[in-house]
């Protein structure tokens, strides 16, 4: 798109666009809109939102429909900054979130780590060069929920002068439908020869509504194939899939960036984080439960080095988590263990997990040599030192969206695989396999709130404390609540633990706070964060607080130190959990 043209002409263009109503422009497909807005947690994205006419209309419909309890979200993407500013003015006071972003990458939009029920491309497709259209539609398809719709309007009758001035390119229905079909999208509607609402001679429009029948990427069948059908000379493949699933489900902020490639967009993660989770899941499995991970009777795995793994036998899996500090000999041993794990990941599962009927590797590792030091704080920055891990964006999204369905498959196959190994024959009878399931439990055995209680009690000695949810004064009887329910999303980070009245917490239980509830608690929650951790004399507490939040929540940078941005990311994560797990709200 010619951003310069639209930036310079915004004062001329804006009145033209705003002179038309939403219904005039979108009459061909608007009958689909009520069903979308009936979804209480609908996400709607307008790519090329211009001066905000369409998102303003949709936001108004939602405000009228839900009367202050609106948990739907409307996002407006616009690359031209002056158009975006005009759009922000048009939608001032409405529940519309603006992003300066553009096709084909949609980097900022993708970093939100949410999916959409409706994506609108009104008068946009002709601005996308032909060479970028395949990637653009693939990116949009990756952002769709199952059953979600993409509405594309195509402009015909452009003059050569207009195409040059506005950087427009020829379009066709056949091209869009062919690209859509390759992505598993199907066309629900084709409205032809609609007259130009601005009355321009020779200009007409055609509208396509594309729908996603399922995840549309082939990622889910691929994951299932690796878990169930692929050959396993050890548990490496299952381990890598589970590590990636846990990162995708619990650490939306771990994505360093996204890149395009010949086979589709890819997600780039810190290799050190993949290695850390690798250690986390194998540590108790091998050292505490004594379970063999290869078919022979040797307990050794390639990453179990004398100067690394075997120097950490006194540590448990719970120690290998974001926000922890290792010093001295333990730090040096951890450096070596992460390096050995990264090498093992590269040389074993990444080498042998390939596309079906192909030698093409699905996962890629770009490893770096890291010298062991006597101190390491586990956060996003430190874990990037080991290099980068790359996987298909479609696989990442499938792991993120379907984690609660995929993990039981992985664990079940892991149990079957371990039970078949010679070294585990004592546990291969059906009445003992529950012990294998127990050994594979990922969550820490105790979701400890001890440190948070100590901090609360210290503060309560000198000031009045409040329930984050109800504002009731708290005295001796209180609970420490996981704001995002632990049973549904196991997260024991400092930011997720808040003081609560015991009766209120009992009423909330495992429910997800509604958007309205969370917003009502914002001031009290931020006050608790600031007084408990950010104003604490212990610098490591503030460092840990943001390290945990910035990697767990979507859209935050590794350097973020703003609790306002953190709260916005928490609202996004609340929406993601609601979308992915359909949790009951409180």
């Amino acid at each position: 798109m010619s951003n310069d043209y639209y930036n310079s002409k915004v004062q001329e263009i804006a009145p033209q666009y705003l002179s038309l109503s939403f219904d005039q422009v979108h009459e061909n497909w608007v009958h689909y809109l009520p069903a979308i807005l009936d979804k209480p947690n609908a996400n709607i994205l307008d790519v090329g939102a211009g001066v905000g006419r369409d998102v303003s209309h949709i936001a108004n419909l939602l405000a009228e429909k839900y009367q202050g309890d609106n948990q739907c979200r409307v996002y407006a993407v616009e690359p031209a900054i002056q158009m975006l500013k005009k759009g922000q003015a048009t939608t001032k006071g409405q529940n519309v979130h603006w992003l300066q972003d553009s096709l084909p990458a949609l980097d900022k939009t993708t970093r939100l780590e949410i999916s959409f029920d409706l994506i609108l491309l009104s008068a946009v497709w002709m601005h996308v060069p032909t060479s970028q259209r395949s990637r653009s539609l693939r990116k949009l398809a990756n952002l769709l929920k199952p059953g979600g719709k993409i509405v594309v309007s195509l402009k015909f009758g452009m003059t050569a002068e207009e195409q040059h001035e506005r950087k427009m390119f020829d379009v066709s229905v056949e091209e869009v439908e062919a690209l859509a079909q390759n992505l598993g999208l199907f066309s629900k509607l084709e409205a032809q020869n609609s007259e130009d609402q601005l009355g321009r001679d020779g200009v007409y429009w055609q509208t396509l509504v594309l729908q996603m029948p399922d995840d549309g990427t082939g990622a889910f069948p691929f994951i299932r194939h690796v878990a169930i059908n692929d050959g396993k000379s050890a548990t490496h493949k299952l381990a890598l899939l589970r590590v990636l699933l846990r990162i995708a489900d619990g650490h939306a902020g771990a994505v360093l960036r996204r890149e395009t490639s010949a086979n589709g967009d890819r997600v780039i993660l810190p290799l050190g984080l993949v290695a850390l989770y690798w250690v986390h899941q194998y540590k108790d499995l091998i050292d505490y439960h004594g379970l063999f991970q290869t078919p022979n009777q040797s307990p050794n795995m390639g990453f179990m080095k004398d100067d690394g793994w075997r120097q950490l036998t006194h540590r448990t899996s719970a120690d290998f988590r974001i926000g922890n500090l290792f010093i001295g000999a333990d730090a040096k041993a951890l450096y070596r263990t992460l390096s050995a794990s990264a090498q093992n990941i590269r040389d074993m599962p990444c080498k042998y997990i390939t596309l079906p009927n192909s030698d093409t590797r699905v996962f890629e590792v770009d490893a770096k040599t890291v010298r062991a030091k006597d101190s390491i704080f586990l956060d996003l920055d430190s874990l990037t030192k080991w290099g980068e891990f790359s996987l298909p964006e479609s696989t990442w999204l499938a792991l993120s969206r379907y984690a609660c369905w995929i993990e039981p498959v992985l664990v079940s196959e892991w149990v079957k695989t371990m039970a078949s190994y010679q070294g585990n024959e004592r546990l291969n009878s059906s009445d003992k396999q529950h012990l294998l399931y127990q050994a594979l439990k990922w969550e820490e055995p105790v979701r400890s709130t001890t440190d948070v209680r100590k901090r609360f009690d210290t503060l309560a000695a000198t000031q009045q404390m409040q329930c984050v949810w109800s504002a009731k004064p708290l005295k001796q009887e209180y609970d420490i609540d996981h704001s995002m329910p632990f049973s549904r999303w196991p997260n024991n980070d400092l930011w997720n633990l808040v003081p609560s009245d015991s009766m209120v917490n009992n009423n909330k239980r495992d429910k997800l706070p509604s958007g309205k509830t969370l917003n009502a608690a914002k001031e009290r929650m931020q006050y608790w964060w600031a007084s408990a951790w950010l104003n604490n004399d212990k610098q490591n507490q503030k460092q840990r607080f943001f390290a945990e939040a910035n990697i767990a929540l979507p859209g935050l940078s590794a350097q973020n130190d703003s609790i306002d941005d953190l709260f916005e990311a928490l609202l996004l994560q609340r929406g993601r959990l609601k979308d992915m797990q359909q949790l009951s709200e409180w």
Side-chain angles (χ1 to χ4, degrees), residues 274-293:
V274 181
L276 179 69
Y277 266 38
W278 184 267
V279 175
H280 176 104
Q281 74 172 348
Y282 270 126
K283 190 70 174 66
D284 290 353
L285 205 57
I286 294 172
D287 285 0
Y288 179 75
H289 294 284
L291 291 169
F292 289 72
Q293 303 302 309

Side-chain angles (χ1 to χ4, degrees), residues 131-152:
S131 60
Q132 296 180 3
R133 287 177 179 169
S134 177
R135 184 189 175 199
S136 294
L137 196 57
R138 182 171 62 243
K139 176 66 71 171
L140 294 169
N142 283 344
L143 290 169
L144 267 190
K145 291 182 185 178
K149 294 177 175 63
I150 302 174
V151 177
V152 186

Side-chain angles (χ1 to χ4, degrees), residues 82 110 119 140 166 310 361 505:
Q82 297 304 322
T110 307
I119 300 177
L140 294 169
R166 300 196 185 193
R310 300 193 191 285
R361 296 182 186 181
N505 188 36

Side-chain angles (χ1 to χ4, degrees), residues 2-17:
S2 176
N3 292 341
D4 291 343
Y5 174 86
Y6 287 95
N7 282 326
S8 64
K9 299 282 189 179
V10 65
Q11 297 304 323
E12 176 185 330
I13 293 172
Q16 295 179 13
Y17 289 173

Side-chain angles (χ1 to χ4, degrees), residues 22 25 29 39 85-86 102 142 149 176 185 198 209 220 233 262 267 298 320 383 536:
F22 179 92
V25 177
W29 66 272
K39 299 178 181 180
K85 289 179 178 178
K86 179 63 178 176
S102 62
N142 283 344
K149 294 177 175 63
V176 177
L185 301 170
L198 290 173
V209 177
F220 199 103
S233 59
V267 166
S298 170
F320 301 96
L383 294 171
N536 193 346

Side-chain angles (χ1 to χ4, degrees), residues 349-391:
C350 287
K351 182 177 179 180
Y352 296 108
I353 296 178
T354 60
L355 293 174
N357 305 312
S358 168
D359 294 329
T360 303
R361 296 182 186 181
V362 176
F363 306 115
E364 298 172 0
V365 170
D366 180 13
K368 294 180 180 178
T369 301
V370 182
R371 184 170 63 87
K373 298 179 181 179
D374 59 6
S375 176
I376 180 172
F377 179 76
L378 296 173
D379 64 1
L380 195 59
D381 278 340
S382 68
L383 294 171
T384 60
K385 295 177 181 177
W386 278 267
E388 297 179 346
F389 184 97
S390 165
L391 71 157

Side-chain angles (χ1 to χ4, degrees), residues 119-168:
I119 300 177
L120 182 59
L121 267 77
S122 180
V124 169
W125 193 249
M126 69 278 194
H127 290 293
V128 181
T130 305
S131 60
Q132 296 180 3
R133 287 177 179 169
S134 177
R135 184 189 175 199
S136 294
L137 196 57
R138 182 171 62 243
K139 176 66 71 171
L140 294 169
N142 283 344
L143 290 169
L144 267 190
K145 291 182 185 178
K149 294 177 175 63
I150 302 174
V151 177
V152 186
S153 64
L154 305 178
K155 184 178 182 180
F156 297 87
M158 298 171 283
T159 66
E161 180 182 1
E162 182 184 29
Q163 286 184 289
H164 175 74
E165 188 177 37
R166 300 196 185 193
K167 287 189 169 58
M168 294 178 177

